Amino acid sequence: MHASLDPLDPNLLDLDWQFRMYAGENADVACLVDEEDYCYFTQWLWVTKPSAGGKKLYFRRAVNRYDLTGQREGADTLYLHIEICRRAHGEMPTKRRCIVDHFDGDSLNNCRANLRWATSRENNRNRFGAYYRQRSLL
């Protein structure tokens, strides 16, 4: 007799819901977000952009800019992790040298609890999620 694979078996239920947004040419890249951000940000199409070293991916989208006559002037790039940090923690505290840091070092984990405003120095210290690992030991 083999074990039951009943999807309603309470021993098999995954109650830790995680919301995933997909991007890439074939929707082959996923990032984690909180439910409230999922409901808001899935109204736009997102693409991925590799970091300067190519080791990390970030979700981004373009927003067109128009002048008063309706002529397109150009486009701005919005990054998902920055927009989520703004929604969760307010505007960046200072315009100079302030970036979004992922506590666990995973650029595709855009949950609010994983993001914070940080200086470049703080971000470099946490480049591989060392701050996250140290914080989780407490």
Side-chain angles (χ1 to χ4, degrees), residues 105-134:
D106 181 0
S107 64
L108 296 176
N109 182 354
N110 292 314
C111 294
R112 290 174 174 224
N114 191 48
L115 302 175
R116 68 172 176 162
W117 293 115
T119 63
S120 296
R121 181 180 224 167
E122 291 169 327
N123 187 51
N124 284 335
R125 259 189 259 146
N126 189 38
R127 190 172 21 189
F128 304 107
Y131 180 80
Y132 170 78
R133 285 188 290 281
Q134 179 183 18

Side-chain angles (χ1 to χ4, degrees), residues 31-74:
C31 76
L32 297 177
V33 295
D34 293 314
E35 180 178 9
E36 60 199 292
D37 296 318
Y38 178 85
C39 294
Y40 180 73
F41 287 112
T42 52
Q43 64 184 307
W44 295 289
L45 179 65
W46 296 85
V47 297
T48 56
K49 173 157 174 77
S51 63
K55 294 184 179 183
K56 295 186 177 190
L57 290 175
Y58 296 94
F59 277 46
R60 70 178 176 109
R61 73 182 185 93
V63 177
N64 290 323
R65 247 189 349 265
Y66 297 94
D67 65 13
L68 296 175
T69 65
Q71 293 291 332
R72 184 178 179 274
E73 291 182 324

